[in-house]
Amino acid sequence: MSAAVSESAVKSGAKSEKFRKDHNINWWLTAAVAVLSLTILIPLYFTIVTALKTPAEAGTFSLPTTWEWHNFADASAKVNYPKAALNSAIITVAAVVLTLLTNTFVAYAVARNMDKRFFRFLYYFFIAAMFVPFPVVMLPIAKQMGSWHLDNQVGLILLYMVLGLGTNLFIATGFIRSIPVSLEEAARIDGAGTWRIFWKIIFPLMSPINATIAITTALWAWNDFLLPLIVLTDQSNQTIPLAQYVFSSQFATNYPMAFSSYLMAMAPIIIVYVFAQKWVIGGVMRGAVK
């Protein structure tokens, strides 16, 4: 009995030693991460405490002497937050859905035809578009959308779909090429066509990449300022960043109200990202390796 107990203790000690060896803490890396995290936490803290102060107290890192919760209601009324949030939500959701329905199909077509010169050209063409600075094409885009009468929410949604194609193609193509072609061959033997194979087999298997594309597109569309600024001409269609920009002069001497509006704009998308970040990281890692 004692021998069995002794043997169990030895095994337990060996496992503990192995665990310690496999989970050694890199203190230099931990310190670097801690310092870098301050670049996010300090501005966030400053934004929160400023949003709850009076204008006279703004500009310091100290906690408010009185918690001015009414700043959020005042900011919502000034910016017309419900209307701006609805516009941002419509544009974001539509851009995500349209992007998933189109960009993934393009990625599938390119990934399965990389041996053909035309599709290789398309792949590198869209990848090269990622390196074109947006200010270079900003004014031509604004003029073109106006001439096509797409200086509205529909045009903005289409731009998010098209301009995101390069990045989405890059991360989705590598993942699709890792899916065995034998799955598609078996489906073709059973009489399935390309369209059915994509929606019934490939698209469901792309769930990690689809989640990554959806989240990154949502972050971009919700937070974007430049595209809505140059495309939207009707003030009733303005998104949250535009609404905050239009009323910025009113907040020039009332930083707590301005910071309250910034927090209300950040809150929905931060909540989404906190719960979905594992899919973003996992999807990028899977799509980058082939």
Side-chain angles (χ1 to χ4, degrees), residues 88-104 156-158 160-161 168 203 210-222 269 272:
S88 291
I90 291 173
I91 292 171
T92 300
V93 172
V96 169
V97 172
L98 193 60
T99 297
L100 287 177
L101 293 178
T102 57
N103 290 15
T104 53
L156 187 59
I157 293 168
L158 293 175
Y160 285 130
M161 177 195 71
N168 298 336
F203 194 78
N210 288 339
T212 302
I213 292 174
I215 295 165
T216 54
T217 303
L219 288 172
W220 176 28
W222 182 272
I269 207 67
V272 171

Side-chain angles (χ1 to χ4, degrees), residues 104-116 119-120 169 172-185 188 194 197-198 201-202 205-206 290:
T104 53
F105 194 76
V106 173
Y108 172 67
V110 171
R112 287 297 185 248
N113 294 278
M114 283 294 283
D115 57 324
K116 299 177 182 178
F119 287 94
R120 279 203 308 274
L169 185 67
T173 300
F175 183 83
I176 294 173
R177 295 181 69 186
S178 67
I179 299 175
V181 181
S182 58
L183 294 176
E184 301 171 45
E185 294 174 345
R188 291 188 189 279
T194 302
I197 289 173
F198 176 76
I201 299 176
I202 303 300
L205 292 175
M206 291 178 64
K290 171 60 180 79

Side-chain angles (χ1 to χ4, degrees), residues 54-214:
T54 61
E57 294 178 318
T60 64
F61 284 89
S62 61
L63 293 174
T65 55
T66 58
W67 300 83
E68 305 291 336
W69 295 101
H70 64 84
N71 286 337
F72 291 95
D74 295 342
S76 177
K78 289 285 186 182
V79 178
N80 193 9
Y81 181 81
K83 175 64 175 176
L86 179 62
N87 291 335
S88 291
I90 291 173
I91 292 171
T92 300
V93 172
V96 169
V97 172
L98 193 60
T99 297
L100 287 177
L101 293 178
T102 57
N103 290 15
T104 53
F105 194 76
V106 173
Y108 172 67
V110 171
R112 287 297 185 248
N113 294 278
M114 283 294 283
D115 57 324
K116 299 177 182 178
R117 184 175 301 177
F118 174 72
F119 287 94
R120 279 203 308 274
F121 168 77
L122 284 181
Y123 177 76
Y124 292 115
F125 175 79
F126 286 120
I127 295 300
M130 296 169 55
F131 300 95
V132 178
F134 181 73
V136 174
V137 297
M138 182 172 64
L139 293 180
I141 285 177
K143 184 173 179 58
Q144 194 66 55
M145 299 304 285
S147 64
W148 287 348
H149 303 289
L150 288 174
D151 48 351
N152 48 39
Q153 291 180 334
V154 175
L156 187 59
I157 293 168
L158 293 175
L159 282 176
Y160 285 130
M161 177 195 71
V162 174
L163 296 179
L165 183 57
T167 303
N168 298 336
L169 185 67
F170 175 72
I171 63 176
T173 300
F175 183 83
I176 294 173
R177 295 181 69 186
S178 67
I179 299 175
V181 181
S182 58
L183 294 176
E184 301 171 45
E185 294 174 345
R188 291 188 189 279
I189 293 174
D190 291 336
T194 302
W195 188 258
R196 186 177 179 184
I197 289 173
F198 176 76
W199 292 114
K200 295 294 184 180
I201 299 176
I202 303 300
F203 194 78
L205 292 175
M206 291 178 64
S207 295
I209 291 297
N210 288 339
T212 302
I213 292 174

